[in-house]
Amino acid sequence: MIPYFEILEFGKVKKRFRESLSTISFSNELMTVPEMQITIPNEYYDLISGRKEMRVIMDCGVFYGMITDYKPSVSGLNISLTHIINEWTYRQVPTNYAVKNALIKNVYESEDMYYSTQWKMNFETEIDNEKIDYVYSRQSKLDALTKTCELTPSVYWRVPFTNDKQVEVGYFGKKQPVMLSNKPTLGRNYRIIGEPTMETDFSDVINLATVYANKSDSGMSSLSLREVYNDKSLQNPKFPVVILRSNINNERDYEYVDFPKLAPNNQLEYSIIDTESVGYESGVFIEGTFAFDDLSPFSLEDMTKDSKDYKWVIPKEQRYLTDTEEINNAKALWHSLKDIWSKSAIAALCGSCHVESTLNPNLYQMGDVPDSQKGFGLVQWTPYTRITNWLGSHGYTSYTMYGKGEVAKLVEEWSTNATNGPWIPTSSYNITFQQWSHMEADMNYMVMAFMADYERGDTSIDLQYQKRIEFAQRIYGLIPEWEQEDNGTTSDTDKTQSRPWNAQNFINTWNGQSIDMDGVPIEQPYQCVDAWKKALQTLNYPDPTRAIGGDGYADYIWYNRDELSYSQYFDYVSTPQFGDWCIFGRSGDTPASHVAMYVSDAGNGRANFFGQNQPYPYCNTTTISTSNIIGIFRVKSVYVQQSIDPESTNGTTIITDNDRIYAAKVVYDCACRKLINARRKFAINTSCEALPKEVNVGDRIRFIYDLNLLQLGSCNRYMKRILKQDDWFYITSLQREIDKTGIEIDTLTLEKFLRTDRDGKSE
């Protein structure tokens, strides 16, 4: 079929024609916005001016695109099209929009995440149980969709080539009844054109990854993998979590090389192995790091302001709002405008909306059926089509979206700052919209100025001025409370001074550092007891440098605990947990006794401990037998910050164990995905006659070809076995090219597994 074109305006076909002056070519990859270049006659120039959409209808499907550039030339009108999915970049998710251990499908039931109801999101049933744990913040909705997929090990999005707005989310990998071979195209077989080639790339391979946050040299994300390390059920057997340290090969039964050769130092590092990639590299480990700035644990209690506190109440039926509902919407309106309008202006706007609509964005004038003379919405735009048409053309197609949509309309009117409508200065209030919006003035003046210059109501009827002013004054009085909630206020009992102890912060601060609290012994002053005394100092223990008694060795910390009044700061427990200080007797691994902080269980009667002089003159983590423990100190709860993370919250929210587990799993999944993307690349590039339109990137097809004819010299035996184990390959890139007569040639990239970008090593 010879392709034909449709020029659309506001979703409706404005012109349909079949006049292509060039070959049409477009490609598709997972989680990528497809683009297309076309040339049509110059006579259509006037039809595409402004923001227009086009459909290109072909045998292989429909490319639904947005015109991003157009230039007339001697050869014709050259047009650049970007797939319509790109309009998702025009809108953002709210600030601090948190989802906690939430199903992906449920996340995208919220209007805060999808673009508009014009879009159909198709989820594969296989991902029904996929969950994410993340705080979105002012990302474009397309970036947010990509991030959602990246938070999982193997979920992707792609665009199907249909005549409507659709996006597909899933694992993909469907086996299509299609095979490529040198035989003629017939039935399910499609003839290969030319000679396939093998593309190899192993310049940025990583198969042993340590995960960090950029906050510090051993950030929260790195240490959060502890939960995945301790719980095998959270791990994919092909991506085991290990600890790199002096005797790491006692930790897990992996038949690999001696891990100390891989470790940059003897401090605690949780790392992930991509066993498949190790096989590709003939057993050689290639270490790298992945940095994540946005995956720290969080609590929903402090991250739901946009998704809960500021959600609009919008009933479907025609009715006035209750007082509680109205105050809720006033708060939502304040939150939307607080960064650009004064408090007085926002309160005055709420006062007018109180009388006009009770702040119900879905209310027709008087709650009646619409007619051409009646208004609609927060400020009762008149006639009602003035706002309803605008909402529809800007993607606010559901009544549940009218609150945000009408605020956007107000901001549009305000940003133009025109003086000839909708804001028209009067002699009594001769100011512009923007001048008014920045004023902090008497509420009578603010309300009356808005009434005169914007509302321009009929003064022959009762406009209820006083009701507007009284409600505006009420909202003005509530705004300081909302500001306090928005900024967050930390109570005195939660401040660091009264809750000074955070075990994770202690590790982050002193990992790799030397501590000397008392200057003895002179020849080696960095002893395990110094780390203990530093912990006492952190707890505001009086005179933390005092001698512990006896011969000064660590076991006297336990023997003299009552004399040293440790019970005021510690509970004595029998089973250690993270952050507890353990005292070791003089035998086995600790012949001179020892004190160190418990980190995690290492199995076989051993555990990981953070401390000093074990055996290095600085703080690190190592494994020690637990059989020598003679006593355990646990910091009393009144001194514990309970894992408050001041960088990820406002300093008031407690991070629970489940929060840490959720975050650890997300970090682990993201790192596994990056490891897959960093594998050695063996890709087959080939061309063939036109494939069915149902075939898309991410699908699997059969490639019937003698792989020995390709350049497999750089493949080791393991990789050759993977390539030849069967003839099914994933399509990771698909380009379709259609000439002016409608003849199509397709070019594919085939690989044995799905991946997107190739992430290199962190610098």
Side-chain angles (χ1 to χ4, degrees), residues 269-280:
E269 287 189 325
Y270 293 94
S271 299
I272 306 172
I273 298 173
D274 180 357
T275 58
E276 191 78 358
S277 182
V278 172
Y280 295 168

Side-chain angles (χ1 to χ4, degrees), residues 711-724:
Q711 298 174 358
L712 298 182
S714 57
C715 297
N716 60 21
R717 286 181 296 175
Y718 180 77
M719 189 63 207
K720 289 178 181 177
R721 187 168 68 249
I722 295 297
L723 288 171
K724 294 181 177 181

Side-chain angles (χ1 to χ4, degrees), residues 63-274:
F63 190 100
Y64 190 170
M66 309 163 59
I67 298 175
T68 56
D69 192 24
Y70 54 95
K71 294 178 181 178
S73 68
V74 175
S75 59
L77 183 59
N78 300 310
I79 298 177
S80 298
L81 293 175
T82 299
H83 193 276
I84 195 67
I85 186 69
N86 195 56
E87 71 177 359
W88 283 52
T89 63
Y90 296 166
R91 293 185 187 161
Q92 294 184 322
V93 295
T95 302
N96 292 342
Y97 184 84
V99 292
K100 170 65 67 177
N101 197 30
L103 294 172
I104 291 178
K105 291 182 67 173
N106 293 346
V107 170
Y108 279 88
E109 290 177 354
S110 168
E111 66 190 55
D112 291 317
M113 293 298 293
Y114 62 78
Y115 181 79
S116 76
T117 54
Q118 294 176 350
W119 277 85
K120 181 179 180 182
M121 297 194 71
N122 300 318
F123 295 93
E124 284 190 343
T125 56
E126 288 80 1
I127 71 163
D128 282 351
N129 295 321
E130 281 284 358
K131 295 181 178 181
I132 56 172
D133 189 72
Y134 189 65
V135 182
Y136 301 88
S137 192
R138 305 310 297 174
Q139 296 144 300
S140 76
K141 293 194 174 181
L142 188 60
D143 287 340
L145 178 59
T146 299
K147 188 65 179 183
T148 298
C149 295
E150 290 176 345
L151 294 170
T152 72
S154 52
V155 173
Y156 300 88
W157 66 261
R158 70 182 182 190
V159 292
F161 293 95
T162 59
N163 62 359
D164 55 358
K165 298 180 177 182
Q166 295 188 35
V167 60
E168 298 174 342
V169 182
Y171 298 135
F172 305 131
K174 177 182 178 181
K175 289 185 175 181
Q176 294 284 6
V178 169
M179 60 184 177
L180 306 185
S181 77
N182 285 322
K183 295 180 179 180
T185 298
L186 182 64
R188 297 180 178 181
N189 184 74
Y190 294 82
R191 182 175 65 88
I192 295 172
I193 298 174
E195 293 296 326
T197 60
M198 173 70 78
E199 176 187 355
T200 63
D201 181 7
F202 48 93
S203 58
D204 291 314
V205 171
I206 296 173
N207 55 32
L208 178 67
T210 304
V211 183
Y212 290 108
N214 281 331
K215 301 171 187 174
S216 66
D217 287 338
S218 61
M220 178 65 72
S221 293
S222 172
L223 294 166
S224 72
L225 287 177
R226 178 183 65 243
E227 281 74 17
V228 179
Y229 172 80
N230 287 332
D231 187 348
K232 287 185 178 180
S233 68
L234 299 177
Q235 299 181 34
N236 180 334
K238 293 184 178 181
F239 294 89
V241 179
V242 298
I243 297 179
L244 303 187
R245 51 183 167 71
S246 58
N247 54 352
I248 187 68
N249 49 338
N250 290 334
E251 287 297 308
R252 288 287 188 269
D253 186 21
Y254 299 125
E255 296 179 352
Y256 296 147
V257 299
D258 187 17
F259 282 97
K261 298 177 182 178
L262 303 173
N265 52 50
N266 289 289
Q267 300 168 29
L268 179 67
E269 287 189 325
Y270 293 94
S271 299
I272 306 172
I273 298 173
D274 180 357

Side-chain angles (χ1 to χ4, degrees), residues 257-458:
V257 299
D258 187 17
F259 282 97
K261 298 177 182 178
L262 303 173
N265 52 50
N266 289 289
Q267 300 168 29
L268 179 67
E269 287 189 325
Y270 293 94
S271 299
I272 306 172
I273 298 173
D274 180 357
T275 58
E276 191 78 358
S277 182
V278 172
Y280 295 168
E281 304 305 322
S282 302
V284 175
F285 285 84
I286 303 173
E287 186 178 359
T289 59
F290 297 137
F292 299 105
D293 295 327
D294 54 355
L295 297 181
S296 296
F298 66 91
S299 169
L300 277 181
E301 293 178 11
D302 197 49
M303 304 302 292
T304 55
K305 289 183 173 64
D306 274 87
S307 58
K308 183 177 66 177
D309 295 352
Y310 306 130
K311 207 150 186 90
W312 289 84
V313 174
I314 308 177
K316 186 175 183 179
E317 69 277 10
Q318 288 294 298
R319 68 172 176 85
Y320 295 111
L321 298 186
T322 66
D323 183 70
T324 300
E325 293 171 334
E326 193 172 6
I327 295 298
N328 176 90
N329 285 3
K331 187 177 183 181
L333 186 57
W334 162 79
H335 186 255
S336 299
L337 297 173
K338 64 185 178 67
D339 294 330
I340 56 175
W341 282 21
S342 70
K343 290 183 284 188
S344 294
I346 296 172
L349 173 64
C350 290
S352 280
C353 293
H354 167 66
V355 171
E356 297 290 340
S357 63
T358 65
L359 280 97
N360 181 356
N362 190 36
L363 187 74
Y364 284 98
Q365 187 174 344
M366 306 300 291
D368 205 349
V369 294
D371 66 45
S372 60
Q373 302 304 313
K374 291 188 176 180
F376 180 80
L378 291 171
V379 295
Q380 292 292 291
W381 284 273
T382 305
Y384 74 90
T385 52
R386 180 176 150 208
I387 182 63
T388 55
N389 288 348
W390 187 94
L391 290 169
S393 66
H394 287 75
Y396 300 101
T397 54
S398 168
Y399 73 92
T400 61
M401 307 168 74
Y402 286 173
K404 291 184 178 180
E406 290 174 24
V407 170
K409 173 62 172 172
L410 277 169
V411 171
E412 179 187 86
E413 295 172 342
W414 165 82
S415 61
T416 61
N417 206 32
T419 56
N420 59 349
W423 185 282
I424 302 176
T426 58
S427 57
S428 299
Y429 304 96
N430 190 20
I431 52 176
T432 68
F433 201 169
Q434 290 187 10
Q435 287 173 333
W436 173 85
S437 71
H438 296 145
M439 294 177 67
E440 290 289 1
D442 174 77
M443 199 52 63
N444 287 41
Y445 178 89
M446 295 298 292
V447 170
M448 296 303 291
F450 187 80
M451 283 289 299
D453 292 0
Y454 184 88
E455 294 280 7
R456 299 189 302 279
D458 183 356

Side-chain angles (χ1 to χ4, degrees), residues 7 40 44-50 52 54 67 70 77 79:
I7 299 174
I40 62 175
Y44 296 109
Y45 181 87
D46 291 339
L47 289 174
I48 64 170
S49 60
K52 297 292 194 303
M54 285 189 71
I67 298 175
Y70 54 95
L77 183 59
I79 298 177

Side-chain angles (χ1 to χ4, degrees), residues 618-650:
Y618 53 80
C619 294
N620 70 338
T621 300
T622 192
T623 183
I624 305 173
S625 171
T626 57
S627 62
N628 298 334
I629 295 175
I630 60 176
I632 303 172
F633 293 89
R634 179 169 298 162
V635 177
K636 287 183 176 293
S637 60
V638 294
Y639 300 111
V640 177
Q641 292 178 26
Q642 300 182 14
S643 300
I644 295 172
D645 181 4
E647 295 188 2
S648 66
T649 70
N650 64 9

